[in-house]
C-alpha cells in the first residue's frame, strides 16, 4: 500500500507542478496519461485524496526483485522485461508488465524522460517525433535527443526497424550508393517491405540519386513560384496571362 501511495503522490505532485506553470488541465491529462476528471479533482481539492481501496498486489510482484535489478542496469523496455520474466515462470500478459513498469517509472523522478515530463518543453507532433527518431544526432538539440532516448527506451515496438530507417537516412544524406544493395537485402521480411518494394520498382533512379550531386531543388522552387503566382489570381489565370505575370515577376 505504501508503494502505491508513493506512486499516486508522485503523480499528484507532477499535476500540481504543471498546473502551477499554467498548463491547461486537458494538456496535463494528455501528457501524464491521467483521466481529465482526476486532474480536475486534484487541482480543485489541492491535496491528494485518501485511498481506502485494498491493495490486491500484482502478478508481477513475484518478479519485482529481478525487474528492479534490470531497471537499475538500464533496461527500461517493458517488452524485453516481460520476455525475461516469462522465462522465469511468469504467465501474465505484456500489458500487465507495462502497467507495472509505468508505475515504477512514474515513482522514480530520476528515470529517463522525467525531466522532460515536468518541464516546459512542448511535446512534438507524431510527424515531428518520427523525424527525430531517424534524424542525425548532430542536427537536434540536447532536449530532443533526451526525448528520442526516452521514446526508444520505453517503446515496445521493433527497434530494428528504426535502425534500418536511420541507416537509410544516413545513406541518402551521404550518398552512399554502394550500401544500397546490402540494405535492401537486410530489410526483407520487415515492416519496411512495402517501402522497399517502391524503391525496387525505380531502382535505377534511386542509384542515380545516390551517386550524383544533382538535385531537383531548383526545378521544385520554380514550380512553387509558379503556383504562388497562379493562386494570387484565384485560379482564373489562363496561359497567356500567367505567362505575362511570370515574366513580369522575373
Amino acid at each position: 500500500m505504501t508503494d502505491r501511495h508513493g506512486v499516486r503522490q508522485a503523480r499528484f505532485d507532477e499535476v500540481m507542478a504543471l498546473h502551477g506553470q499554467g498548463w491547461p488541465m486537458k494538456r496535463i491529462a494528455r501528457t501524464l496519461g491521467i483521466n481529465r476528471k482526476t486532474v480536475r479533482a486534484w487541482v480543485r481539492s489541492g491535496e491528494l485524496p485518501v485511498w481506502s481501496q485494498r491493495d490486491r498486489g500484482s502478478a508481477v510482484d513475484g518478479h519485482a526483485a529481478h525487474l528492479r535489478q534490470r531497471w537499475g542496469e538500464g533496461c527500461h523496455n517493458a517488452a524485453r522485461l516481460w520476455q525475461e520474466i516469462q522465462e522465469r515462470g511468469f504467465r501474465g500478459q505484456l500489458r500487465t508488465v507495462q502497467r507495472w513498469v509505468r508505475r515504477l517509472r512514474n515513482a522514480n523522478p530520476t528515470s529517463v524522460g522525467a525531466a522532460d515530463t515536468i518541464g516546459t518543453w512542448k511535446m512534438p507532433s507524431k510527424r515531428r517525433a518520427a523525424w527525430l527518431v531517424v534524424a542525425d544526432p548532430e542536427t537536434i538539440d540536447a532536449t530532443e535527443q533526451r526525448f528520442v532516448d526516452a521514446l526508444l527506451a520505453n517503446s515496445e515496438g521493433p527497434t530494428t526497424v528504426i535502425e534500418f530507417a536511420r541507416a537509410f537516412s544516413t545513406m541518402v544524406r551521404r550518398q552512399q550508393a554502394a550500401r544500397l544493395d546490402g540494405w535492401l537485402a537486410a530489410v526483407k521480411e520487415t515492416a519496411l517491405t512495402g517501402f522497399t518494394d517502391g524503391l525496387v520498382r525505380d531502382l535505377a533512379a534511386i542509384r542515380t540519386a545516390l551517386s550524383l550531386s544533382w538535385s531537383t531543388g531548383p526545378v521544385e522552387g520554380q514550380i512553387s513560384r509558379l503556383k504562388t503566382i497562379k493562386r494570387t489570381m484565384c485560379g482564373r489565370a489562363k496561359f497567356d496571362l500567367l505567362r505575362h505575370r511570370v515574366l513580369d515577376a522575373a
Side-chain angles (χ1 to χ4, degrees):
M1 186 68 176
T2 303
D3 291 342
R4 179 168 294 186
H5 178 74
V7 172
R8 294 183 71 243
Q9 183 64 53
R11 300 290 274 173
F12 174 80
D13 293 340
E14 289 178 341
V15 169
M16 299 307 295
L18 295 177
H19 177 68
Q21 296 175 14
W23 282 38
M25 295 185 189
K26 181 177 181 181
R27 183 183 176 189
I28 295 175
R30 184 175 63 251
T31 301
L32 299 182
I34 303 176
N35 187 281
R36 195 188 309 177
K37 293 182 180 180
T38 301
V39 174
R40 185 183 299 112
W42 286 359
V43 169
R44 288 179 178 177
S45 66
E47 59 183 6
L48 184 65
V50 178
W51 229 18
S52 59
Q53 182 176 351
R54 180 172 61 89
D55 188 359
R56 296 179 296 177
S58 170
V60 188
D61 291 342
H63 304 274
H66 174 77
L67 292 175
R68 292 183 185 278
Q69 177 184 347
R70 296 288 289 124
W71 184 274
E73 294 171 353
C75 180
H76 299 164
N77 188 301
R80 184 178 304 171
L81 294 173
W82 174 60
Q83 293 172 353
E84 291 182 4
I85 63 175
Q86 272 191 318
E87 298 174 355
R88 301 169 67 92
F90 179 69
R91 295 293 178 263
Q93 299 181 353
L94 171 60
R95 62 173 177 266
T96 305
V97 180
Q98 290 174 335
R99 287 194 296 267
W100 197 93
V101 169
R102 189 179 301 116
R103 293 197 300 268
L104 181 63
R105 183 180 300 117
N106 294 334
N108 184 4
T110 61
S111 62
V112 179
D116 292 336
T117 301
I118 62 176
T120 58
W121 185 65
K122 183 179 179 180
M123 188 68 65
S125 64
K126 293 180 180 179
R127 179 175 296 183
R128 175 68 177 176
W131 180 86
L132 290 175
V133 167
V134 299
D136 186 344
E138 296 180 357
T139 64
I140 61 179
D141 59 33
T143 303
E144 292 173 331
Q145 185 60 54
R146 287 198 299 272
F147 168 78
V148 171
D149 294 340
L151 187 65
L152 296 181
N154 302 331
S155 173
E156 283 76 34
T159 55
T160 303
V161 174
I162 296 177
E163 294 300 327
F164 281 138
R166 286 178 169 177
F168 181 79
S169 178
T170 301
M171 184 168 53
V172 172
R173 288 197 308 269
R174 300 179 182 178
Q175 293 189 301
Q176 299 171 333
R179 297 179 54 190
L180 180 60
D181 291 335
W183 184 86
L184 289 174
V187 299
K188 287 183 177 180
E189 307 301 329
T190 69
L192 295 174
T193 301
F195 174 70
T196 57
D197 288 345
L199 296 181
V200 172
R201 285 195 295 269
D202 205 8
L203 193 56
I206 300 299
R207 293 188 191 279
T208 302
L210 294 179
S211 303
L212 302 179
S213 59
W214 300 97
S215 74
T216 60
V219 176
E220 296 294 339
Q222 293 299 326
I223 292 175
S224 298
R225 173 171 168 269
L226 180 62
K227 289 181 178 179
T228 301
I229 295 175
K230 189 171 183 178
R231 289 194 187 99
T232 62
M233 294 182 285
C234 302
R236 296 178 179 272
K238 294 185 179 180
F239 179 77
D240 292 340
L241 177 58
L242 185 59
R243 178 175 180 271
H244 284 294
R245 289 291 304 273
V246 171
L247 292 177
D248 288 343

